[in-house]
Amino acid sequence: MARILIVDDSPTETFRFREILTKNGFEVIEASNGADGVTMAQAELPDLVLMDVVMPGVNGFQATRQIARGATTKHIPIVIVSTKDQATDRVWGKRQGAADYLTKPVDENQLIDVIKHHLNAG
């Protein structure tokens, strides 16, 4: 069973992601901010990370960059899931090391398809 790390400061979003992921057979671990997300990724080595962008302290772009460039975590695909839907945000997200970029509110089927794609690609 693949383990997905959700990094989001919104309890509502985290709850929704957890519901979708557990229903689809994934194990879920959570972090409520970017700094904790990086720490959790290093400690738990999840199979994939769902990363919010707008968070206090270390934002999602910074956390993505740290995970994507970390020696022990660089193999983990990161899917940014954000309310920011400008083309520049997508480009910047990919430049930080994100494997994919989805906008909220996320379509459940699209989310699962993207996750499965990146898990199978790895």
Side-chain angles (χ1 to χ4, degrees):
M1 178 190 302
R3 293 165 69 225
I4 312 281
L5 170 59
I6 302 169
V7 185
D8 200 314
D9 62 332
S10 160
T12 312
E13 292 287 346
T14 302
F15 178 80
R16 182 162 176 265
F17 285 137
R18 187 188 324 117
E19 267 195 329
I20 293 170
L21 294 171
T22 50
K23 185 174 85 180
N24 284 277
F26 295 105
E27 188 183 322
V28 174
I29 42 183
E30 298 166 17
S32 58
N33 60 60
D36 287 352
V38 172
T39 304
M40 288 286 282
Q42 292 165 340
E44 300 287 336
L45 298 177
D47 298 296
L48 185 134
V49 178
L50 292 180
M51 180 73 72
D52 184 25
V53 170
V54 184
M55 294 182 285
V58 177
N59 71 35
F61 290 139
Q62 294 165 316
T64 295
R65 187 167 57 238
Q66 289 177 31
I67 294 169
R69 297 186 182 164
T72 57
T73 53
K74 63 179 177 225
H75 66 283
I76 303 169
I78 302 166
V79 177
I80 290 180
V81 188
S82 177
T83 51
K84 293 166 74 73
D85 65 350
Q86 300 297 311
T88 50
D89 295 319
R90 292 171 183 276
V91 168
W92 186 243
K94 295 267 177 87
R95 208 173 272 170
Q96 304 315 301
D100 225 313
Y101 194 111
L102 300 174
T103 50
K104 295 177 183 174
V106 143
D107 173 72
E108 181 173 335
N109 294 326
Q110 182 190 23
L111 178 66
I112 296 303
D113 286 348
V114 165
I115 289 172
K116 287 183 173 166
H117 168 77
H118 290 291
L119 291 176
N120 293 334

